[in-house]
Amino acid sequence: MWTEKAAATAEAQESGCRNRSSISRQIPVVGVVTEDDEAQGVFKPVDLNHVIKLLEETNKDGLEEKQLKFVKKLVQCYQNGLPLRDLAQIFKILNLCAGKIKNQPRFVESAYDIIKLCGLPFLKKKVSDEITYAEDTANSIALLGDLMKIPSSELRIQICKCIVDFYHAEPPKKHIPGYQQASSSYKIQMAEVGGLAKTMVQAMTLLENQLVEKLWVLKVLQHLSTSEVNCSIMMKAQAASGICAHLNDPDPSGQLLFRSSEILWNLLEKSPKEEILQQLSNLECLLALKEVFKNLFMRGFSHYDRQLRNDILVITTIIAQNPEAPMIECGFAKDLILFATFNEVKSQNILVKGLKLSNSYEDFELKKLLFNIIVILCKDLPTIQLLIEGKVILALFTYVKKPEKQKTINWSAAQYEELQLHAIATLSSVAPLLIEEYMSCQGNAQVLAFLEWCESEDPFFSHGNSFHGTGGRGNKFAQMRYSLRLLRAMVYLEDETVNTDLCEKGTIQQMIGIFKNIISKTNEKEEAIVLEIQSDILLILSGLCEHHIQRKEIFGTEGVDIVLHVMKTDPRKLQSGLGYNILLFSTLDSIWCCILGCYPSEDYFLEKEGIFLLLDVLALNQKKFCNLILGIMVEFCDNPKTAAHVNAWRGKKDQTAASLLIKLWRKEEKELGVKRDKNGKIIDTKKPLFTSFQEEQKIIPLPANCPSVAVMDVSENIRAKIYAILGKLDFENLPGLSAEDFVTLCIIHRYLDFKIGEIWNEIYEEIKLEKLRPVTTDKKALEAITTASENIGKMVASLQSEIIESQARQDVQNEQKVYAKIQATHKQRELANKSWENFLARTSNAKTLKKAKRFQEKAIEASRYHERPQNAIFHPTDIKGLNTTVPSGGVVTVESTPARLVGGPLADTDIALKKLPIRGGALQKVKAVKIEDVPKKSIPT
């Protein structure tokens, strides 16, 4: 709001700045307004209130001209931008002008000029203006959408241009002293707050037959849809269905389809997907998408057309994920299947007659998208008939073969590899639904032959660039992985025709052979994909051998060997995240399905210490494996040879299998919240097995065919399996148990009795809840059963108490033994110290030595026999003059070394023995040494 004089002043200042442009550093010139200038009215504002009041007046002569003149003057004053503080009044003026258009068409130009100003920057005088005037700004911008109702093409286009300019902000043409431009995203934010997107969506319904205005509105919506807030507003206004339904409207420029598809993309990405799918899943939208896709597929040859075609197919794929979408009813599903297979299977359909795909990137992406949508369509069972008619299985099997030069399309090696892997992955989803077609195409034979090629040494360089080719660069592992996935999907249908055909073709032997060969080819880079291949092989073998003894015999010792190989895997690798956990699960499943029930395989498994390996895994204490391993061990214990192996196993710290199982029981009860005291003793003898869940769960009457909570508890935890294993091992002869283990074993031993009592208690409680009154005999029987169950609980608790007391007494006795041993050690140490002191006294004091000698002689004399036989010769055993108090040993005779050779008592004996002459204790060099005979001398030892 500046007068013409103020604008002239600003221009003069700007001109002065340009004249000084030769200076190296330009300094912006800021217009300084003094109090005198303000007093003189240099920046005298336009009286907006006067303009509003003038526009509100009616029925005066010459009023229209005056009103138009003031509006024009207003527009001229704001050519450099709109101050935020004046925005509300300016838009009120705009609204008044718009209201006069119907009766006074000349106001169209005034409204046009004001709207044009909205494309200019918004200006703020204070930093806080953006917050202060936020509500006024949001309401003002929202008014732009309401003005789209005015039936003026020129005005509508200008409104759209103005909104588009929000996203392409430009700086003010001139610098206005005291003002600065609002942030570049401010208009966009205010448009979101004001809900402009909603009114623009509603404006689409007014422009069905006006192509130019419609394209401008779509351009606006394209910009608005880049925001999540706007996308949510557009979703609520049903923008998706409204735009999609008009995709096929005539438009020579092609902008309508491009902008509409872009808006739909943004809506799917930035708003709740489920709601958008619900809007698009109607017949009208799908028919429009179908016609657009067909036109682009058949008549689109440019790079742009192919890209747009693929975008439309992606949107269709997303819609097809909604089961409620009428893909079959509109005929779109049938056309898509035709387009997906016409290159591989000849068709006389007019839609594909003469059509060919090139090896361009867009056509390559189209082929992959068509494979992908087949997978999505096959989830809807009514589509199966269309898949049969379209010969989808036959088309996909053209890729399940050794790569060779294609006759129809010259795909590159990398493209063909990716399509091959994608086709096999698609077969894994489609083939299980079309078993007859799969068998008629000799599916098993083709897949097994392809696997044989994968295993062969034929030279083949895999590119491994695609998602499906991950981990398969330079080898055939990717092809092998997806082929095995296909076989696994077919085997797990449990269709006897398919499985019998596989076994007759030697699948079991081939799978074992592949497993053995792949072990030797593994390296660290391919470890993850190899683990997945091994897991799939074991699952295929499990599916084929389960419930068939003859197939288990074919599995035989070679199969057991590969199972044992996996069982010997380093336990630390289970935490690597590469897939060892899955492989171990597959291995345990193969033990259950391929070994158990076949006695030769069971015996071989036991002979190779398979039970030891199972217990080693069980000792890892990983809950995810425990249930399955215990189930396997329950079945193995039916073999009479198993018990010896289980009892012979030893874990860390010499732990036995029985101790391990009892430890697992205690851990399970702790997790289940079973009440036990600190010693593991039963607390509640009426409910000794009750878990915390059973305590919280109230007993409710159930039909006879519905298992109760107590029955379900048997299968939901591992206690029943532990009871079964220990029962087969004989509760009375379990090695390596502690007192704590015996306390727990008392409960395990009576598990079945407690569980039966628990179920009867449930029956009794249900009868009470149903307010039934049993006959006297039944009532007595129920009471007797519950009493007997409680008595068993009391008996077990009493036995546990005895074990605990016995252990306490044993602990006391052991403690006393330890104390006695410590006391004896101390006493012996005291005697040794006293003996040493006496020895020191004898060696350091002559009187003490003599006294000890006399005492010794008296003791020796007292011990002698005094009555001597006649003619007996007495041989004295003591040596006269010997001043020692230690007993003398036996006397031996040795040859003494001459003193002259020894060199005296201080000479080095070792040197003397070297026969070197020693004189005066010093070494001297002599020519020879003469050794003389010396007399023998007896010395005591």
Side-chain angles (χ1 to χ4, degrees):
M1 69 188 165
W2 299 270
T3 59
E4 294 178 5
K5 185 177 179 181
T9 304
E11 289 178 5
Q13 291 171 345
E14 202 169 62
S15 175
C17 180
R18 286 196 297 270
N19 293 334
R20 292 189 294 272
S21 61
S22 60
I23 302 175
S24 60
R25 183 173 63 88
Q26 293 184 357
I27 301 174
V29 177
V30 180
V32 179
V33 182
T34 64
E35 294 180 2
D36 294 335
D37 291 334
E38 286 186 346
Q40 293 172 8
V42 174
F43 285 114
K44 184 179 179 181
V46 174
D47 192 349
L48 297 176
N49 291 327
H50 176 69
V51 177
I52 293 170
K53 188 175 180 182
L54 184 64
L55 288 170
E56 288 175 345
E57 293 179 0
T58 57
N59 301 326
K60 284 186 179 181
D61 294 336
L63 182 62
E64 182 177 348
E65 291 292 337
K66 189 176 181 180
Q67 290 172 336
L68 291 171
K69 182 180 178 181
F70 270 89
V71 173
K72 188 175 182 180
K73 184 179 180 182
L74 171 72
V75 171
Q76 290 175 350
C77 289
Y78 291 103
Q79 287 299 313
N80 293 319
L82 298 177
L84 291 175
R85 65 182 183 181
D86 296 338
L87 207 59
Q89 291 173 303
I90 292 171
F91 269 85
K92 188 172 183 182
I93 292 169
L94 174 60
N95 196 28
L96 290 170
C97 291
K100 294 177 179 292
I101 290 174
K102 185 176 182 181
N103 299 321
Q104 298 170 282
R106 293 177 65 187
F107 276 94
V108 171
E109 185 179 355
S110 299
Y112 179 90
D113 292 338
I114 297 174
I115 291 169
K116 194 173 181 180
L117 293 178
C118 296
L120 299 174
F122 287 175
L123 304 174
K124 57 183 179 180
K125 197 163 189 177
K126 299 178 181 178
V127 176
S128 60
D129 281 359
E130 289 186 4
I131 300 172
T132 305
Y133 300 106
E135 185 177 354
D136 290 343
T137 306
N139 294 334
S140 300
I141 291 176
L143 182 62
L144 292 174
D146 294 331
L147 295 178
M148 290 295 293
K149 297 175 183 177
I150 299 173
S152 169
S153 176
E154 185 181 7
L155 203 62
R156 287 169 174 169
I157 292 173
Q158 184 55 46
I159 292 171
C160 293
K161 287 181 178 179
C162 172
I163 297 171
V164 171
D165 287 341
F166 290 178
Y167 295 85
H168 308 284
E170 295 181 0
K173 296 178 181 178
K174 295 182 180 180
H175 175 70
I176 310 300
Y179 287 88
Q180 58 181 336
Q181 184 179 355
S183 60
S184 58
S185 61
Y186 184 67
K187 287 184 179 181
I188 299 172
Q189 293 173 1
M190 293 301 102
E192 293 174 357
V193 175
L196 177 63
K198 179 180 179 181
T199 52
M200 295 307 294
V201 171
Q202 292 169 348
M204 284 288 295
T205 58
L206 306 172
L207 308 171
E208 290 186 2
N209 300 318
Q210 300 171 39
L211 181 60
V212 178
E213 290 94 321
K214 184 188 293 186
L215 291 177
W216 271 106
V217 172
L218 286 173
K219 187 174 183 180
V220 170
L221 291 174
Q222 183 182 354
H223 283 80
L224 291 173
S225 63
T226 56
S227 158
E228 292 185 5
V229 175
N230 285 334
C231 283
S232 298
I233 295 170
M234 293 167 68
M235 177 197 70
K236 293 176 183 177
Q238 302 292 313
S241 58
I243 291 171
C244 186
H246 294 87
L247 280 177
N248 206 30
D249 288 359
D251 172 29
S253 69
Q255 289 188 49
L256 187 145
L257 183 56
F258 165 70
R259 299 194 187 283
S260 298
S261 62
E262 186 73 18
I263 294 167
L264 291 175
W265 260 112
N266 291 337
L267 288 172
L268 286 167
E269 286 182 354
K270 295 178 172 140
S271 56
K273 189 176 178 181
E274 295 76 14
E275 182 63 30
I276 299 297
L277 289 180
Q278 196 64 34
Q279 291 182 26
L280 296 174
S281 299
N282 59 68
L283 202 58
E284 187 180 9
C285 290
L286 286 171
L287 284 171
L289 284 167
K290 172 189 170 184
E291 294 303 319
V292 168
F293 182 76
K294 282 169 60 178
N295 289 335
L296 291 170
F297 192 90
M298 298 167 63
R299 302 178 184 87
F301 299 102
S302 68
H303 176 75
Y304 167 78
D305 287 341
R306 289 171 175 172
Q307 281 188 331
L308 194 55
R309 172 199 64 190
N310 291 354
D311 289 345
I312 295 296
L313 183 54
V314 173
I315 293 171
T316 304
T317 303
I318 296 172
I319 297 172
Q321 294 175 3
N322 183 10
E324 298 177 4
M327 294 291 294
I328 300 174
E329 291 81 349
C330 69
F332 204 177
K334 186 175 181 180
D335 289 347
L336 289 171
I337 292 170
L338 173 66
F339 293 145
T341 59
F342 80 95
N343 273 310
E344 293 77 20
V345 180
K346 291 182 179 180
S347 174
Q348 300 300 321
N349 194 304
I350 193 171
L351 292 176
V352 294
K353 192 173 183 180
L355 273 180
K356 287 185 179 180
L357 295 178
S358 68
N359 62 352
S360 65
Y361 176 77
E362 289 75 22
D363 285 350
F364 173 62
E365 287 296 315
L366 172 70
K367 194 69 178 175
K368 293 195 294 181
L369 289 170
L370 289 169
F371 282 164
N372 186 52
I373 202 167
I374 285 175
V375 174
I376 294 170
L377 290 173
C378 74
K379 295 177 182 178
D380 188 13
L381 293 181
T383 315
I384 292 176
Q385 186 59 37
L386 297 178
L387 296 174
I388 295 171
E389 294 172 1
K391 299 181 181 179
V392 172
I393 295 291
L394 181 60
L396 293 172
F397 262 114
T398 59
Y399 292 91
V400 187
K401 58 185 178 181
K402 179 181 177 180
E404 56 187 23
K405 190 173 182 180
Q406 301 298 302
K407 297 178 180 179
T408 54
I409 304 175
N410 189 23
W411 299 114
S412 68
Q415 286 177 332
Y416 181 77
E417 179 194 350
E418 190 168 347
L419 289 176
Q420 182 185 58
L421 294 172
H422 207 144
I424 300 172
T426 305
L427 271 172
S428 300
S429 299
V430 178
L433 303 173
L434 307 171
I435 298 176
E436 292 183 7
E437 285 66 30
Y438 174 84
M439 295 301 293
S440 65
C441 293
Q442 295 293 315
N444 287 336
Q446 291 197 58
V447 176
L448 292 174
F450 187 66
L451 276 173
E452 189 174 347
W453 170 78
C454 293
E455 192 185 2
S456 69
E457 299 295 332
D458 289 355
F460 173 73
F461 182 77
S462 172
H463 292 75
N465 296 324
S466 65
F467 166 78
H468 295 94
T470 304
R473 187 171 183 83
N475 53 53
K476 306 169 191 171
F477 284 156
Q479 287 81 356
M480 184 181 290
R481 169 170 60 179
Y482 282 97
S483 300
L484 289 170
R485 282 188 186 179
L486 172 57
L487 277 184
R488 187 188 69 190
M490 298 308 298
V491 166
Y492 271 78
L493 292 172
E494 297 184 0
D495 185 276
E496 196 55 36
T497 305
V498 175
N499 290 355
T500 302
D501 184 60
L502 282 169
C503 291
E504 289 174 354
K505 289 180 169 56
T507 303
I508 296 176
Q509 298 93 323
Q510 186 174 351
M511 292 296 109
I512 294 172
I514 292 172
F515 195 102
K516 287 182 175 180
N517 291 335
I518 206 172
I519 292 172
S520 58
K521 298 178 182 179
T522 307
N523 57 53
E524 291 183 2
K525 293 182 180 179
E526 301 157 354
E527 191 172 9
I529 189 172
V530 167
L531 290 174
E532 184 180 343
I533 288 171
Q534 291 175 335
S535 299
D536 284 339
I537 289 173
L538 291 172
L539 289 172
I540 290 167
L541 291 171
S542 299
L544 291 174
C545 295
E546 190 174 14
H547 310 309
H548 293 83
I549 298 297
Q550 291 180 345
R551 296 176 188 173
K552 291 182 181 182
E553 290 174 353
I554 296 172
F555 182 81
T557 57
E558 289 187 355
V560 175
D561 285 336
I562 65 174
V563 168
L564 293 171
H565 173 81
V566 178
M567 294 292 293
K568 292 175 183 177
T569 302
D570 186 351
R572 291 174 294 183
K573 291 184 177 180
L574 295 175
Q575 310 299 330
S576 66
L578 293 173
Y580 281 98
N581 279 332
I582 298 172
L583 178 59
L584 185 54
F585 272 119
S586 304
T587 306
L588 294 174
D589 187 54
S590 65
I591 294 173
W592 186 282
C593 299
C594 304
I595 298 176
L596 286 171
C598 179
Y599 296 122
S601 296
E602 284 187 11
D603 291 345
Y604 185 75
F605 184 81
L606 293 171
E607 181 184 337
K608 294 294 182 178
E609 299 181 349
I611 286 293
F612 289 2
L613 297 174
L614 279 174
L615 288 168
D616 287 340
V617 178
L618 188 64
L620 296 176
N621 205 11
Q622 295 195 18
K623 191 173 178 63
K624 53 192 172 187
F625 299 124
C626 286
N627 202 13
L628 188 53
I629 293 173
L630 290 171
I632 292 169
M633 289 190 63
V634 170
E635 297 298 323
F636 255 114
C637 284
D638 289 336
N639 189 320
K641 300 177 182 178
T642 303
H645 287 263
V646 175
N647 288 328
W649 178 83
R650 291 295 180 272
K652 291 182 179 179
K653 298 180 180 179
D654 206 32
Q655 185 182 32
T656 62
S659 177
L660 173 62
L661 292 171
I662 293 171
K663 182 182 176 182
L664 289 174
W665 175 286
R666 284 198 295 268
K667 182 184 176 185
E668 185 76 3
E669 287 200 328
K670 185 177 180 180
E671 292 175 356
L672 293 172
V674 181
K675 293 180 179 178
R676 298 282 184 262
D677 66 7
K678 62 179 181 179
N679 296 315
K681 185 181 170 184
I682 292 174
I683 294 177
D684 188 353
T685 55
K686 292 183 179 180
K687 302 173 182 178
L689 298 178
F690 252 47
T691 64
S692 58
F693 174 76
Q694 287 176 283
E695 292 283 358
E696 295 169 3
Q697 190 77 14
K698 294 181 180 180
I699 297 176
I700 55 174
L702 295 170
N705 60 346
C706 292
S708 65
V709 178
V711 175
M712 290 295 294
D713 175 73
V714 175
S715 59
E716 288 177 350
N717 58 68
I718 62 175
R719 292 190 292 179
K721 293 183 178 68
I722 293 173
Y723 165 77
I725 295 169
L726 291 177
K728 291 179 180 181
L729 294 177
D730 187 3
F731 285 106
E732 304 299 328
N733 298 304
L734 298 175
L737 300 184
S738 63
E740 185 183 13
D741 293 335
F742 278 112
V743 169
T744 307
L745 187 63
C746 293
I747 302 172
I748 300 174
H749 193 189
R750 290 291 185 173
Y751 172 79
L752 188 59
D753 295 329
F754 289 147
K755 184 55 66 174
I756 291 171
E758 193 177 302
I759 292 170
W760 276 110
N761 185 60
E762 276 190 342
I763 294 170
Y764 197 15
E765 292 297 325
E766 285 185 21
I767 290 173
K768 289 180 180 179
L769 288 172
E770 292 178 354
K771 297 181 179 179
L772 298 176
R773 189 177 177 185
V775 297
T776 306
T777 308
D778 290 344
K779 186 177 181 180
K780 288 181 179 180
L782 284 171
E783 291 174 352
I785 291 169
T786 53
T787 303
S789 177
E790 186 178 352
N791 290 338
I792 292 173
K794 291 178 179 179
M795 180 187 70
V796 170
S798 175
L799 181 58
Q800 288 177 316
S801 299
E802 290 180 10
I803 294 171
I804 294 168
E805 291 172 3
S806 175
Q807 181 62 31
R809 289 194 296 271
Q810 184 65 38
D811 290 343
V812 171
Q813 290 177 2
N814 292 339
E815 187 178 352
Q816 289 175 349
K817 287 180 180 179
V818 171
Y819 281 137
K821 187 176 181 181
I822 293 170
Q823 189 176 8
T825 302
H826 280 285
K827 187 174 181 180
Q828 187 66 27
R829 192 175 298 164
E830 289 174 1
L831 292 174
N833 291 338
K834 189 174 181 181
S835 174
W836 177 248
E837 289 172 0
N838 291 336
F839 176 74
L840 290 178
R842 293 197 304 272
T843 56
S844 59
N845 192 328
K847 292 182 179 179
T848 305
L849 180 61
K850 291 178 181 179
K851 184 179 178 182
K853 180 65 177 177
R854 287 195 297 272
F855 179 77
Q856 184 185 41
E857 290 175 349
K858 287 181 181 178
I860 292 171
E861 188 64 28
S863 65
R864 285 176 178 168
Y865 186 71
H866 295 285
E867 296 180 3
R868 298 179 183 176
Q870 292 181 358
N871 303 324
I873 300 173
F874 175 72
H875 298 279
T877 58
D878 53 345
I879 302 172
K880 298 295 183 181
L882 184 64
N883 294 322
T884 63
T885 57
V886 295
S888 300
V891 180
V892 296
T893 302
V894 297
E895 288 188 3
S896 178
T897 305
R900 57 192 177 82
L901 291 178
V902 176
L906 300 177
D908 187 340
T909 306
D910 291 338
I911 296 175
L913 291 176
K914 294 177 183 177
K915 301 182 180 180
L916 294 176
I918 302 172
R919 296 178 181 176
L923 296 177
Q924 292 183 3
K925 186 175 181 181
V926 295
K927 292 181 179 180
V929 178
K930 184 180 179 182
I931 302 174
E932 297 180 359
D933 293 332
V934 294
K936 295 181 180 179
K937 184 179 179 182
S938 297
I939 60 173
T941 60

